[in-house]
Amino acid sequence: MAHRDARLVALIEEARTRRYSRRQIIRRGLALGLSMPAIGWILAACGGGEAAPTSAPGGGAAPGGTAAASPGAGSPAAGGPAIKVGVVTSLSGDDVFGGNLTRRGYDFWAETVNAQGGVEIGGQRYPVQMFYADDQSQPATGADGAERLITQDQVDVIFGPYTSGVTLAVAPICDKYKVPMIAGSAESPNVWKAQPQYTFGIIPSVDLTAGKALQVILDQADPKPTSAAILGADEPFSKEAAEGFLAGAREAGLTITREEFFPPNADLTPLVSGVAATDPDIVAVGGHEEILINFVRAAKSLNFAPKAIIMHYGVTVPDFAANLGEDAEGVFGLVVWTPDVSYEDEVFGTAEEYFQAAQERWGTAPDYTEAACSASGLVLADALARLGTPPPYSEEDRVRLRDLLEETDITTFYGPIRFETEGDHFHDNTAPTPVLVQIQDGAVVAVGPSDAATAEMIYPLPAWNER
């Protein structure tokens, strides 16, 4: 307790001396590990007013079940009305790395907005209370968890799962109960082709982005690549990512040396051996981070070093470089957000300010999916402000909220967010522009297109023993 009190006093003095803004106090407090009530007390002491307590989850969620915040960190002050947000994501199972990433993004929005007093609706601020369901990386478990969040915890809105497969399973539950879901991670076009009435996606689907990355490599590489092998795990998102790479390779006129889809739990060594025998310039892989890590390890074990290895999502997850170390060097990926973009908003400030604050909070650099999950909260807050009705919310309110989400047209630190209202990308945000990235010296850097690059592309890749 004495240690915490010392931090409180030190931060108050620091804030007064350096004349911190409200946002700077919140960021510094979160970085020091202070609770939301403590940060609110500091804001009041510095003349910044009181902040609502956060409601980050405590203790995790039981499989398929839910977990709300512990009393000291979650319940609204004095039992007042709160906006109840349910999150379905992978807190265990094969996709736990990505599940924790989405959790960080969602939680960081909740912590930040609660530290600012809550979501403003009709001139009053209301805190956010978070409830979690662990989908165990299984679609059926995710659907069960969503139903429990809605019927037992009576959440007002759902923040979506890490994987597209679980998102596809949860969307019909949201339609059934007329509860809006904002998906901060799903990238499979199949989510949107189904035209889910209550589900909205922040990240453009992979069929809009994957093929463009190959063209960037062709535009900038010297010597020019002439062939490619396309591989993908046979699961939602991963398969569509590979199909996007395949379409891009064909459009670019590359010779396809091998095209194969494999079970997500397959032994990749014989597969990589077969690809190596075809000697492609580029290998493009559709998969989540564990599959991508295993592919690189298998390629190294066989001393197979194509001129370029490109993946879609997963390369930017901190665990990718952390697990592979120097072997991750030179691997390409694709993002739709970097901290270098010029966007900003009133909650997080600039993209760079968001990046620094999130990194201070969690100890890891946020990637584009973590950022998209935080932006999900901004979309919800904007729609609730336009709704103008305080919590709790009736079914009629949620239907109206769904209509308002469909009309979203805002700019955030993440970039522009507007949802398609017809066609194969129904309710997906197609506005962001993709950027080719590459791991260099352990960091993810933008290498193309040229107007977005912060570093020169490394091509061809060196031999494994030279990385």
Side-chain angles (χ1 to χ4, degrees):
M1 180 66 73
H3 176 63
R4 188 191 69 176
D5 290 346
R7 285 185 296 169
L8 293 177
V9 173
L11 182 51
I12 291 172
E13 183 63 27
E14 181 181 332
R16 287 173 172 169
T17 301
R18 300 186 181 182
R19 296 187 177 183
Y20 281 168
S21 67
R22 181 186 183 88
R23 182 185 296 147
Q24 288 172 316
I25 293 173
I26 294 168
R27 286 176 53 190
R28 184 65 175 143
L30 290 173
L32 291 171
L34 297 176
S35 67
M36 291 306 108
I39 294 175
W41 187 79
I42 293 171
L43 286 168
C46 294
E50 295 187 5
T54 190
S55 50
T66 60
S70 59
S75 301
I83 300 160
K84 300 174 73 173
V85 177
V87 180
V88 180
T89 198
S90 303
L91 303 179
S92 63
D94 291 342
D95 299 310
V96 66
F97 290 155
N100 283 326
L101 183 148
T102 58
R103 181 175 183 166
R104 290 196 298 268
Y106 293 138
D107 280 357
F108 192 55
W109 168 74
E111 290 181 358
T112 302
V113 76
N114 280 343
Q116 295 174 357
V119 175
E120 185 172 355
I121 303 170
Q124 299 292 323
R125 289 187 176 270
Y126 299 90
V128 174
Q129 189 173 8
M130 303 288 276
F131 297 81
Y132 273 75
D134 178 10
D135 62 40
Q136 296 183 300
S137 307
Q138 297 294 327
T141 307
D144 289 342
E147 192 149 22
R148 290 190 185 98
L149 286 169
I150 294 168
T151 61
Q152 296 181 15
D153 295 303
Q154 298 184 326
V155 298
D156 302 308
V157 66
I158 296 284
F159 281 173
Y162 169 59
T163 68
S164 296
V166 180
T167 305
L168 282 162
V170 171
I173 304 299
C174 293
D175 283 358
K176 174 182 176 181
Y177 290 100
K178 299 181 180 179
V179 173
M181 175 167 66
I182 304 174
S185 178
E187 293 185 66
S188 169
N190 288 336
V191 175
W192 316 116
K193 287 178 181 177
Q195 301 217 333
Q197 295 302 303
Y198 281 80
T199 300
F200 300 82
I202 302 299
I203 303 176
S205 66
V206 67
D207 62 316
L208 297 175
T209 57
K212 296 178 181 178
L214 288 179
Q215 188 60 53
V216 173
I217 295 177
L218 264 68
D219 289 343
Q220 299 181 188
D222 185 17
K224 300 292 184 185
T226 60
S227 61
I230 312 297
L231 308 173
D234 193 2
E235 62 179 358
F237 169 76
S238 302
K239 183 177 182 180
E240 286 81 40
E243 289 173 342
F245 285 134
L246 182 60
R250 286 173 173 162
E251 185 175 345
L254 294 175
T255 299
I256 309 301
T257 67
R258 184 152 179 170
E259 170 194 344
E260 187 164 343
F261 296 94
F262 54 88
N265 59 352
D267 178 4
L268 297 185
T269 302
L271 176 65
V272 175
S273 178
V275 171
T278 69
D279 193 28
D281 292 330
I282 300 173
V283 177
V285 186
H288 290 99
E289 63 279 353
E290 185 175 2
I291 291 170
L292 307 184
I293 290 169
N294 291 338
F295 175 87
V296 172
R297 287 174 173 164
K300 183 182 181 182
S301 72
L302 296 168
N303 199 30
F304 170 48
K307 295 183 177 67
I309 299 175
I310 182 169
M311 303 167 176
H312 194 282
Y313 184 70
V315 172
T316 59
V317 175
D319 295 285
F320 182 84
N323 276 276
L324 290 172
E326 292 181 352
D327 294 339
E329 286 295 306
V331 175
F332 288 102
L334 185 62
V335 304
V336 290
W337 176 86
T338 72
D340 302 308
V341 298
S342 59
Y343 302 112
E344 62 181 293
D345 58 65
E346 294 182 356
V347 174
F348 291 114
T350 65
E352 177 63 28
E353 286 176 326
Y354 169 85
F355 179 87
Q356 294 296 336
Q359 187 169 40
E360 288 176 5
R361 175 66 180 95
W362 305 116
T364 58
D367 75 340
Y368 78 89
T369 293
E370 187 171 331
C373 289
S374 294
S376 300
L378 301 177
V379 171
L380 173 61
D382 171 71
L384 288 173
R386 287 183 284 123
L387 180 66
T389 302
Y393 296 109
S394 65
E395 180 178 300
E396 182 180 355
D397 293 329
R398 297 196 305 270
V399 171
R400 177 60 181 149
L401 180 61
R402 176 262 180 211
D403 293 340
L404 291 168
L405 284 168
E406 196 171 71
E407 298 169 2
T408 296
D409 188 356
I410 62 174
T411 298
T412 71
F413 79 94
Y414 178 79
I417 300 177
R418 297 184 299 274
F419 301 117
E420 296 292 322
T421 56
E422 60 184 8
D424 286 344
H425 298 97
F426 181 77
H427 281 182
D428 190 18
N429 173 32
T430 60
T433 301
V435 175
L436 182 71
V437 296
Q438 188 176 42
I439 295 181
Q440 297 184 7
D441 296 325
V444 177
V445 297
V447 294
S450 57
D451 59 352
T454 60
E456 290 189 12
M457 183 177 75
I458 298 173
Y459 181 95
L461 295 180
W464 290 108
N465 61 4
E466 297 176 3
R467 300 187 191 187

